[in-house]
Amino acid sequence: MGIWIRLLFKLLLGMLLLLFFSCRSKEFATDGYFTGDVDKYFNEKKGVNIWVYRAFQPRETGQSGLRTTSYYPLDTRMMKMVGLGKNGDKVMFSVVPENRPKYNMVVVKHRKDRIR
């Protein structure tokens, strides 16, 4: 009977660890900022700059705009479907245009060893 309890305990512990590690949220890259005057995102720490070529307003709430610290409701589901934002990937920003066409765009910097 004692072996079954230990086996059940290990199984439950394994499931708990799997749940813990599979539910990690995708991380936004720190030190990034968006300059609306030139429609450009900068992140000196990561060595990137990205031109967006549209007039986006930086906003962390609401239905549109550019976000650097939070996701839109569709973003997480969209990234999970295509396998983006996993360990080592950093999200630079998420954006939804204020005018049509409406779409969600998430910019992700991959780990170097994933791109070949």
Side-chain angles (χ1 to χ4, degrees):
M1 187 74 157
I3 194 164
W4 289 107
I5 292 174
R6 277 189 257 140
L7 184 62
L8 182 61
F9 177 74
K10 288 180 181 181
L11 178 66
L12 290 174
L13 182 62
M15 290 175 63
L16 182 64
L17 288 173
L18 180 65
L19 180 66
F20 176 73
F21 287 109
S22 66
C23 292
R24 280 182 47 180
S25 63
K26 286 88 179 157
E27 298 178 21
F28 277 87
T30 56
D31 302 323
Y33 59 95
F34 179 74
T35 304
D37 296 341
V38 293
D39 293 339
K40 193 170 184 179
Y41 170 86
F42 296 93
N43 192 314
E44 294 175 23
K45 185 176 181 181
K46 297 289 179 190
V48 298
N49 60 53
I50 302 161
W51 290 83
V52 293
Y53 296 106
R54 287 220 32 200
F56 293 110
Q57 295 299 317
R59 290 193 188 101
E60 294 301 323
T61 59
Q63 301 298 317
S64 65
L66 186 131
R67 295 181 178 187
T68 57
T69 60
S70 64
Y71 293 104
Y72 285 98
L74 180 62
D75 292 344
T76 307
R77 191 173 78 209
M78 183 174 64
M79 288 190 304
K80 184 177 180 181
M81 286 174 55
V82 296
L84 290 176
K86 296 197 178 194
N87 297 340
D89 295 338
K90 293 292 181 187
V91 176
M92 299 291 117
F93 60 87
S94 171
V95 67
V96 172
E98 296 173 21
N99 302 319
R100 292 191 180 270
K102 294 280 189 177
Y103 55 86
N104 283 59
M105 180 174 72
V106 179
V107 176
V108 178
K109 184 173 186 204
H110 294 281
R111 294 178 300 184
K112 290 187 181 203
D113 61 351
R114 281 184 61 184
I115 306 298
R116 296 181 196 250

